Amino acid sequence: MPSGSAVIVDYDAGNLRSVQRACREVGLDAAISADADEVRRAERIIFPGVGAAGSAMQSLHATGIGAALVDAYRSGTPILGICLGLQISLDHSEEGDTETLGLVPGSVRRFRLTDPALKIPHMGWNAVEVLRPHPVLSEVKPGDEFYFVHAYFPSPANPGDVLAEADYEGRFCCALGRDNYVATQFHPEKSGRVGLALLKRFAEWDGHA
Amino acid sequence: MLSKRVIACLDVRDGHLAKSVRFVDTKNIGDPVAKAREYYEDGLDELVFYDITASSERRRIILDVVEAVAAEVFIPLSVGGGVRSVQDATDLRLAGAEKINVNSAAVRRPALIAECADAIGSQNVVLSMDIRQVTPDQRHPSGYEVVIDGGRTPMGIDALAWTQQGEELGAGELVVNSIDADGTRQGYELNLTRKISEAVRIPVIASGGAGLPGHLFDVLTEGKADAALVASMVHYGDYTVRGLKSYLHGRGVKVRMSW
């Protein structure tokens, strides 16, 4: 049984209660916090978020939470980014031409699809293929699908940071990891049993890949 | 490749599950929380609650149902029925709904779509439309009109024009519900669904008329829908969610098969 606690970072980027409920379901006591010091001191951190990169970064700067996340990353705290949380951990996002946190080298780009039958956002369930084993993804089996909602996708500069890919008129990175930071473009909290299993693995992770 | 979704719709009245036939004659068929759990475990991709409670207690009842379901069902939850304001939408989101469906109130005041998109994100705003076939005329060049208030009030608005306006205002997804097909179990309105899906860039959920597994296949292929909504088919035990997905998978439709 996972023990300990986590802080879910609240930076005015969407509803965090569903993440909190899913954490509770796997035995992780997760408190929602908008306090930079609480984020800095957290045992582990979940960094979710939906919405636009630009306003999210403004909020992270204004509250000091952005700096706290960088400190926590450097001090080895296990961090799980989800969706927008993943996207703003890279250097730059095409969305609003935004400079982002830079925990992981790379950028975020918008889907440019040629098939008119493919919808934007990429919304629904898609298969996640693990390319590089990682403790947090250890229960993801070939063919397992996760729930996605996004119009932009991450493009890490270092191929070694790509943990998993999905396919939407071409393959894109849907999970990445570097040191004690791991992140998913999909929503584990809305992905049924396989998503809960991922959260449980994160709850047990010591931060070493 | 993205999977086509199978979505179950639970009409909730006074905290109980109800199912209407052509929007009238609703009858109670059980506990929505138990049904939600059953479908979740059976591989459902998404769940929609439609609140048809008429009493003044309506908001509290649906919030309780959503809260109870969100505590044990970890797939996207969508809630609609009587959403008139950003406050309604944010209350439902706090209770655990991912997406908010707007319908009649958005037809009366289209700015509601943009306000909700600003407040909760475009991808969480679902424009749900009740549509009826009419003789094409100047006001309804597509031959389909928008009807509101649970199918009672025709609005003199062309359905195709309304879907495009909804997309421009910031709807992230559309539910296309055919009033003519609703509750008949004779199949989805394929022509309507295809026309709308081809006219917008956002995902389209087909609703109304499913009675046989082949109807889902038809609307997800010929009808070009991204998702198929079912109700009576699974509520009365004639079919299971797992069975429907296996059938679609067997006929070559990409659906999520492991959960």
Side-chain angles (χ1 to χ4, degrees):
Chain A
M1 202 55 194
S3 58
S5 63
V7 164
I8 300 173
V9 183
D10 178 6
Y11 57 110
D12 204 22
N15 182 9
L16 310 175
R17 295 271 297 274
S18 57
V19 175
Q20 189 179 37
R21 283 188 191 91
C23 287
R24 282 198 187 131
E25 182 72 9
V26 301
L28 179 62
D29 174 23
I32 295 172
S33 174
D35 183 295
D37 285 330
E38 284 179 14
V39 171
R40 207 173 264 111
R41 287 197 308 263
E43 199 175 300
R44 59 187 73 242
I45 296 170
I46 299 178
F47 181 38
V50 295
S55 57
M57 280 310 294
Q58 275 176 18
S59 169
L60 287 175
H61 284 314
T63 55
I65 291 175
L69 277 167
V70 173
D71 290 347
Y73 170 64
R74 288 187 181 142
S75 70
T77 309
I79 305 175
L80 171 65
I82 299 173
C83 197
L84 183 64
L86 174 155
Q87 296 189 354
I88 59 187
S89 67
L90 293 143
D91 295 314
H92 180 265
S93 174
E94 265 184 17
E95 189 180 20
D97 188 17
T98 307
E99 293 304 316
T100 44
L101 290 177
L103 305 183
V104 178
S107 61
V108 169
R109 296 187 286 143
R110 189 173 168 87
F111 281 116
R112 289 181 180 81
L113 306 173
T114 53
D115 181 351
L118 292 179
K119 307 299 180 74
I120 293 181
H122 171 236
M123 182 190 285
W125 298 79
N126 205 334
V128 167
E129 189 193 342
V130 177
L131 303 185
R132 187 155 74 79
H134 188 283
V136 173
L137 302 182
S138 61
E139 288 195 37
V140 181
K141 314 261 186 314
D144 280 352
E145 296 185 27
F146 289 80
Y147 187 76
F148 289 81
V149 187
H150 61 124
Y152 293 79
F153 65 93
S155 179
N158 175 3
D161 291 338
V162 178
L163 298 181
E165 287 182 337
D167 187 342
Y168 199 51
E169 199 184 80
R171 295 163 70 88
F172 66 93
C173 168
C174 68
L176 55 81
R178 191 177 178 87
D179 309 320
N180 48 307
Y181 180 76
V182 64
T184 63
Q185 180 58 65
F186 50 83
H187 291 267
E189 77 280 12
K190 286 286 157 188
S191 295
R193 187 187 51 78
V194 295
L196 294 175
L198 188 153
L199 287 173
K200 192 160 188 291
R201 287 286 159 260
F202 173 70
E204 296 163 347
W205 185 41
D206 63 4
H208 294 284
Chain B
M1 203 170 87
L2 192 62
S3 289
K4 300 283 188 181
R5 285 170 282 159
V6 175
I7 302 176
C9 182
L10 302 175
D11 287 347
V12 178
R13 188 181 52 191
D14 305 323
H16 301 284
L17 204 50
K19 177 59 198 157
S20 67
V21 178
R22 286 196 180 153
F23 280 45
V24 285
D25 182 29
T26 60
K27 36 185 166 180
N28 276 343
I29 55 170
D31 169 16
V33 183
K35 276 285 182 202
R37 178 88 211 180
E38 176 194 325
Y39 297 159
Y40 168 64
E41 286 174 354
D42 212 27
L44 188 72
D45 297 315
E46 195 165 324
L47 191 61
V48 181
F49 286 110
Y50 223 78
D51 183 16
I52 55 172
T53 305
S55 71
S56 54
E57 287 290 285
R58 60 192 313 275
R59 298 270 35 121
R60 197 188 54 70
I61 294 171
I62 190 70
L63 290 173
D64 287 348
V65 170
V66 171
E67 192 123 34
V69 171
E72 44 183 308
V73 168
F74 299 95
I75 54 175
L77 302 181
S78 183
V79 181
V83 175
R84 289 184 185 83
S85 66
V86 167
Q87 188 64 52
D88 291 341
T90 50
D91 287 350
L92 287 164
R93 292 255 304 157
L94 272 179
E98 214 62 29
K99 304 179 186 180
I100 304 302
N101 291 40
V102 294
N103 190 333
S104 303
V107 177
R108 290 204 170 89
R109 197 175 66 80
L112 177 63
I113 297 170
E115 290 165 13
C116 286
D118 273 351
I120 66 170
S122 185
Q123 73 278 11
N124 294 317
V125 180
V126 183
L127 176 58
S128 186
M129 300 165 295
D130 299 322
I131 297 173
R132 181 163 72 189
Q133 190 165 17
V134 291
T135 309
D137 60 17
Q138 245 181 337
R139 279 200 303 181
H140 313 97
S142 72
Y144 292 98
E145 76 169 339
V146 177
V147 183
I148 65 169
D149 299 333
R152 286 187 293 271
T153 316
M155 292 302 283
I157 297 171
D158 183 76
L160 206 59
W162 175 232
T163 61
Q164 288 167 326
Q165 191 187 348
E167 181 180 27
E168 281 164 25
L169 286 166
E173 201 168 24
L174 300 172
V175 174
V176 176
N177 187 46
S178 164
I179 290 176
D180 306 306
D182 184 68
T184 64
R185 299 189 174 213
Q186 299 296 306
Y188 296 93
E189 230 278 30
L190 299 182
N191 181 50
L192 169 68
T193 311
R194 188 181 57 250
K195 270 191 177 183
I196 290 177
S197 194
E198 285 174 347
V200 297
R201 200 72 213 257
I202 52 180
V204 168
I205 301 168
S207 164
L212 296 169
H215 295 153
L216 280 79
F217 175 81
D218 293 342
V219 85
L220 293 171
T221 53
E222 196 187 328
K224 299 195 172 181
D226 298 284
L229 195 137
V230 293
S232 335
M233 277 184 88
V234 290
H235 295 338
Y236 299 112
D238 299 338
Y239 298 94
T240 62
V241 172
R242 183 187 299 265
L244 291 175
K245 293 182 79 169
S246 300
Y247 169 85
L248 291 168
H249 176 70
R251 290 194 67 182
V253 177
K254 172 86 163 54
V255 288
R256 180 175 66 115
M257 286 306 294
S258 77
W259 56 84

